[in-house]
Amino acid sequence: MITVGVALSLPWLATAVTRTLTPPMGWNSYNYYNCYPNETIIKSNAWGLVELGLSTVGYNIVTPDCGWPSKNRTADGQITWNPELFPSGFPALGEYIHGLGLKFGLYSGAGVWECTPDNGEWYLQASLGHEVEDAHTFATWGGDALKYDNCWANKIDTTIRFVDYNPSERDPSVRFAAMSDALSSVNRSIIFSICQWGVGQDLGVWAPKYGNTWRISNDIQDNWKSIWRIVNQAVPYVKHTGVGKYIDMDILTVGLGALSYEEERFHFGMWAISKSPLVIGAPANSSLTPAGSLAILLNKDVVALNQDRLGEQAQLIRRYTEEGYDIFAGNISGSRKVIGVANWSNSSKSVDIDLQLVGVQKSGNIQDVWAAKSIGPYEGALKVDLEGHEAKLLILPVSAQLTYNVEPSYYSAVTGILQGDVKSVNCGDGCLPTGSKVTNMTIGSSVTFGNVSGGVLGGTKLIGIDYINYDVALASAWTNGTNTRNFTLSVNGREPRRWSFPISGGDWYETGRLDVLADGFYVGPVNELRVEAPGLDPGADLVGFAVYT
């Protein structure tokens, strides 16, 4: 991880934010110790990073999360530590961490109080209204990074829960901009990680201006469905990320015992190629964290994908919902591409991937990253064997990129025949290219398109679906929220096939595109395509679709 304080080299910056050219890596106390850190815990885990070799792989920021401050500020208004939990104090803790060759991470929040594990009577100081003095305090303590949380957002009404997914403020960026500016004013480089949970609109627009990383989702949980939820929420941010500006998919749960070994590799691999910070949430202790989990965290080849100097987030290229797998792809340095083949289903399967569809045209040699071996040359197609809940990571040389030589045929959603509750809505520039959409796709509703082109060959076609889904799982993240909306598509009366549509970005008026393959097309402009909602939950809003013939 390369850290620089930059203001001029990256022209999109709004302030002189300290940037890590690659995603930050480290250890955080929250996932295992919750809001109950203490000096012994932090020191022992800092030492564990060194002892286990984790620091040599790149995990070098040690952060005590919520629970460290005193309930009160000092007589002169300075934030301070709880002396019972940290008897040596934070300057001394920072010196200990620095003495190990590591960086000292700090935690505060953009509210009146910081996040706590219960809902009353425990109010620990955060930084709203104290940004300048707290930034200077963190600098004098030797702080190298700051995770900045979002509890008690701009209010002190203790009758309202400290986590508010619908704050009354008009512009949440103001609170985070204040601390970003304050950190820029101190005589120390401090990495700023925004932890706003993906609440509200335009997070990908404003957060990169003020922070090195920004949280896109509610907290990760120790279960498999949480991985699906967060990966679906990460999809649209590829348009906002790059060197020095990275999404944060939350602290890793590798080593906490909730996921299987294959699921832990899936989780770690998807975080790595998405260019999320790799922050260990399990104890850096071989007696508390399984050897297999530590081996995952220590895998230098997977870490190298995360730390690749291009800083490019892998994007969802194809989704095969009924088959249960996705294909992600992204460019990495050395004229190479990483492909993630993610099997969400419980069962093992073999899948055939047309590599031209992921942007690789000529033959070459494939590297299986987890297996640490070459699996030989390919010639335009590849068969991949997947265990249940396995994500293969493959590296391929890229000698030519696929381009479409023929413009697709495009069909605006509002030109279809609408049945049921579905209705058309004008939304202007917010849902280009059509300026309109159909919404309220409830069960029993449908949109039917006639005279759809099947080209000169018919058969299977690539369909690019423009849709809108901002049904973000915030409060529902704790139950069954998935961040997805579903459609079924049927061609010429064939059996409908279901597709799960991830978050599309920005707000309800910003489109995303999902490319899928559908078969059953006839030659020429004689085809019928029907879109329906397959279940009790409404489908996504439909803007239109392109058929590549």
Side-chain angles (χ1 to χ4, degrees), residues 508-526:
W508 284 106
Y509 304 104
E510 181 182 349
T511 53
R513 174 166 282 185
L514 182 71
D515 288 341
V516 303
L517 293 172
D519 58 10
F521 281 86
Y522 305 134
V523 173
V526 297

Side-chain angles (χ1 to χ4, degrees), residues 482-524:
T482 66
N483 288 315
T484 59
R485 291 286 187 95
N486 295 326
F487 283 153
T488 60
L489 277 67
S490 58
V491 179
N492 295 323
R494 293 189 175 216
E495 186 73 20
R497 298 191 63 204
R498 181 175 65 88
W499 307 96
S500 292
F501 289 77
I503 295 299
S504 61
D507 56 34
W508 284 106
Y509 304 104
E510 181 182 349
T511 53
R513 174 166 282 185
L514 182 71
D515 288 341
V516 303
L517 293 172
D519 58 10
F521 281 86
Y522 305 134
V523 173

Side-chain angles (χ1 to χ4, degrees), residues 3 16 115 178 185 200 209 290 299 333 350 357 359 366 381 384 388 394 420 453 466 483 528:
T3 306
C115 300
S185 72
K209 300 176 184 177
N299 190 300
S333 57
S350 294
L357 295 179
I366 302 172
V384 177
L394 307 172
S453 177
D466 290 336
N483 288 315
E528 179 184 274

Side-chain angles (χ1 to χ4, degrees), residues 443-483:
I443 188 168
S445 299
S446 65
V447 186
T448 303
F449 302 87
N451 302 319
V452 176
S453 177
V456 297
L457 296 176
T460 300
K461 299 297 174 186
L462 175 65
I463 303 177
I465 303 173
D466 290 336
Y467 70 98
I468 301 172
N469 170 23
Y470 203 63
D471 192 15
V472 177
L474 291 170
S476 64
W478 306 112
T479 53
N480 59 357
T482 66
N483 288 315

Side-chain angles (χ1 to χ4, degrees), residues 72-342:
N72 301 303
R73 290 178 172 265
T74 64
D76 58 354
Q78 303 301 306
I79 195 168
T80 191
W81 60 89
N82 182 330
E84 295 181 4
L85 299 177
F86 295 90
S88 301
F90 266 34
L93 182 61
E95 290 172 5
Y96 176 84
I97 291 169
H98 290 151
L100 296 175
L102 305 173
K103 297 180 182 296
F104 184 24
L106 292 160
Y107 169 93
S108 189
V112 178
W113 301 301
E114 69 171 37
C115 300
T116 53
D118 46 36
N119 198 23
E121 298 185 4
W122 187 15
Y123 306 116
L124 303 184
Q125 294 294 317
S127 297
L128 183 65
H130 297 275
E131 293 86 358
V132 173
E133 56 260 51
D134 287 359
H136 282 269
T137 296
F138 298 151
T140 62
W141 290 350
D144 301 297
L146 175 65
K147 174 184 173 182
Y148 206 52
D149 220 330
N150 195 39
C151 290
W152 300 109
N154 211 17
K155 64 188 178 188
I156 57 173
D157 184 352
T158 58
T159 65
I160 301 175
R161 198 173 192 279
F162 66 91
V163 172
D164 187 355
Y165 301 120
N166 295 288
S168 58
E169 62 188 343
R170 296 182 61 184
D171 185 359
S173 70
V174 172
R175 290 182 290 121
F176 295 89
M179 179 54 81
S180 181
D181 290 341
L183 292 174
S184 298
S185 72
V186 303
N187 190 26
R188 186 175 182 84
S189 294
I190 299 178
I191 302 162
F192 188 40
S193 296
I194 293 170
C195 185
Q196 203 256 349
W197 321 323
V199 178
Q201 301 177 359
D202 299 324
L203 180 64
V205 176
W206 66 259
K209 300 176 184 177
Y210 304 118
N212 187 72
T213 70
W214 66 97
R215 268 277 295 280
I216 60 165
S217 69
N218 203 342
D219 289 4
I220 195 170
Q221 296 169 276
D222 295 347
N223 55 50
W224 173 246
K225 68 180 181 181
S226 187
I227 308 303
W228 167 256
R229 167 176 62 87
I230 294 173
V231 170
N232 275 286
Q233 198 160 345
V235 168
Y237 288 99
V238 66
K239 71 189 77 171
H240 301 295
T241 55
V243 173
K245 46 177 184 174
Y246 299 107
I247 59 169
D248 182 355
M249 298 166 73
D250 207 0
I251 306 167
L252 295 163
T253 61
V254 175
L256 296 181
L259 302 178
S260 69
Y261 173 72
E262 205 62 75
E263 289 168 349
E264 287 194 339
R265 294 210 305 179
F266 186 115
H267 167 29
F268 189 69
M270 291 305 297
W271 264 235
I273 67 173
S274 300
K275 301 300 188 288
S276 174
L278 297 180
V279 180
I280 299 169
N285 185 315
S286 59
S287 65
L288 296 175
T289 299
S293 300
L294 289 171
I296 291 170
L297 296 169
L298 285 163
N299 190 300
K300 295 181 180 179
D301 294 330
V302 180
V303 170
L305 294 174
N306 179 260
Q307 297 291 295
D308 185 80
R309 58 184 172 81
L310 291 187
E312 181 176 311
Q313 177 185 342
Q315 59 183 310
L316 177 63
I317 301 298
R318 297 288 183 275
R319 170 155 285 181
Y320 300 86
T321 302
E322 291 189 345
E323 294 87 346
Y325 70 96
D326 289 338
I327 300 175
F328 289 79
N331 293 312
I332 55 176
S333 57
S335 298
R336 300 173 299 159
K337 187 178 287 286
V338 61
I339 297 177
V341 188

Side-chain angles (χ1 to χ4, degrees), residues 382-400:
L382 173 67
K383 182 177 180 180
V384 177
D385 295 321
L386 297 162
E387 297 296 327
H389 294 181
E390 179 185 8
K392 289 275 192 189
L393 299 179
L394 307 172
I395 295 177
L396 302 87
V398 179
S399 52

